[in-house]
Amino acid sequence: MTATMLAGRLDLTTKRFAVEEVPVPRPAPNEVLVAVRASGVCLSDLHLIGGAFTPAYNPAKAVTLGHEVAGVIEALGADVPDRLRVGQRVALQAGQSCGACDNCVRAMSPCLRVLTRGVDYDGGWAEYTVARHDTVVPIPDSLPFEQAAIIPDAVSTPYAAIVTTAQVTVGESAGVWGTGGLGTHAVQILRLVGSAPIVAIDPNKAARERALGFGADTALDPLAEDFAEQLRAATGGKGLDHAFDFAGSGAARKQAAKSLSRKGKLVLAGLTPEQLEVGDSIGFCFELQQVMGHYGSLPQHVEDLIALAGHGRLDFSRSITDRIPLAEAERAVKQLHDKVGDPIRLVLTP
């Protein structure tokens, strides 16, 4: 192993992003060193570069981006448990508990201070990265690295929104606003849990057609003049039991709120600083409707999804839009920003 490596680094003061030569990290006693094989490029990374997001707990001047990571264990710290070994194929959780507060130390309840990989500490846009042993999840040989890498976040976030936050049950209808990196996987997961009908909503025709291929029953253009009529027809006049905003758009949220059935739930899974508006608040209350915030996923969700993918219940082979060398990470950032090729997920490969 060389002493240095390439890493995609963001200066947290100037917001300058560049691929640089940096020292290979050394694992602490409770960490493993992972040779990265694939790392996803997410809109959250672009939000960090653009300054819309600021790390809450990172005291460093710069950070290596990348919270979707898979690779091979290269070395073990002194206190790493026997379940992990050198040469093991693994994915990394997108974050970790702080490990210092009373909740973590006493294990009494989930920690509310979650540190995000590639935000609050160095991530996987690099040739090597270190990971605390409890954030390392073994993956089966049948699961390609680039597919395993995107499960934390791109897949686990919509999975958690559907099964934990919204608690969608068999036969309930669902609308998915935005069928990109998160929404495309939401359609797959809704199909898996038995939602019906599944309505994909996206202004991009290609994205709508793709959503139908991933399992949506209907795909609608939110800009169509008769959108409300089409949605009512798709749901038999009832409206949606669940409306998911994966677009991170104020306009999408406003439209979704108007599309709910009685006791319907609006789940805010996409992130945006835009103000939330509920037009008819009296009607919203009368119909017993709900607005539910959602963020990220739990470690168990990632483990569940890796198991489902390993058993062939979910297939993410169509989710990888392009594989881009780590050295060209700036090109990947621009490609996602400009939505070149209408990407689901771009993956960096060292």
Side-chain angles (χ1 to χ4, degrees), residues 265-301:
K265 301 172 184 177
L266 169 60
V267 181
L268 312 181
L271 301 180
T272 175
E274 295 180 70
Q275 186 174 358
L276 174 65
E277 294 184 13
V278 176
D280 180 10
S281 60
I282 295 177
F284 198 87
C285 295
F286 180 76
E287 295 293 339
L288 303 177
Q289 296 164 340
Q290 299 178 57
V291 178
M292 311 181 77
H294 179 82
Y295 184 79
S297 61
L298 297 174
Q300 186 61 50
H301 295 136

Side-chain angles (χ1 to χ4, degrees), residues 212-286:
L212 292 171
F214 274 83
D217 297 294
T218 305
L220 303 180
D221 182 353
L223 304 180
E225 292 184 3
D226 61 344
F227 170 82
E229 289 78 7
Q230 291 185 58
L231 184 68
R232 279 197 295 271
T235 59
K238 177 184 174 184
L240 294 166
D241 296 313
H242 306 276
F244 295 91
D245 168 34
F246 289 107
S249 162
R253 292 176 171 188
K254 187 175 182 179
Q255 187 177 60
K258 294 179 179 179
S259 304
L260 294 175
S261 67
R262 181 167 177 79
K263 296 186 179 180
K265 301 172 184 177
L266 169 60
V267 181
L268 312 181
L271 301 180
T272 175
E274 295 180 70
Q275 186 174 358
L276 174 65
E277 294 184 13
V278 176
D280 180 10
S281 60
I282 295 177
F284 198 87
C285 295
F286 180 76

Side-chain angles (χ1 to χ4, degrees), residues 29-98:
N30 64 342
E31 295 178 334
V32 301
L33 178 68
V34 175
V36 177
R37 294 290 185 266
S39 189
V41 182
C42 176
L43 276 174
S44 297
D45 299 311
L46 270 63
H47 291 326
L48 277 168
I49 295 171
F53 292 166
T54 301
Y57 306 114
N58 194 341
K61 294 181 180 179
V63 66
T64 299
L65 299 182
H67 54 274
E68 298 179 343
V69 190
V72 176
I73 295 178
E74 186 81 12
L76 303 174
D79 298 329
V80 172
D82 293 341
R83 73 179 185 90
L84 301 176
R85 65 182 187 278
V86 172
Q88 196 168 18
R89 304 172 79 252
V90 297
L92 305 183
Q93 298 282 0
Q96 64 187 39
S97 59
C98 71

Side-chain angles (χ1 to χ4, degrees), residues 168-173 188-198:
V168 178
T169 59
V170 173
E172 291 185 326
S173 61
Q188 285 181 279
I189 293 159
L190 285 164
R191 189 87 181 188
L192 182 69
V193 302
S195 173
I198 302 166

Side-chain angles (χ1 to χ4, degrees), residues 5-9 17-22 64 125-128 326:
M5 65 177 187
L6 291 180
R9 301 277 288 172
F17 173 76
V19 177
E20 302 172 350
E21 195 86 13
V22 299
T64 299
W125 288 12
E127 294 180 83
Y128 296 92
L326 172 64

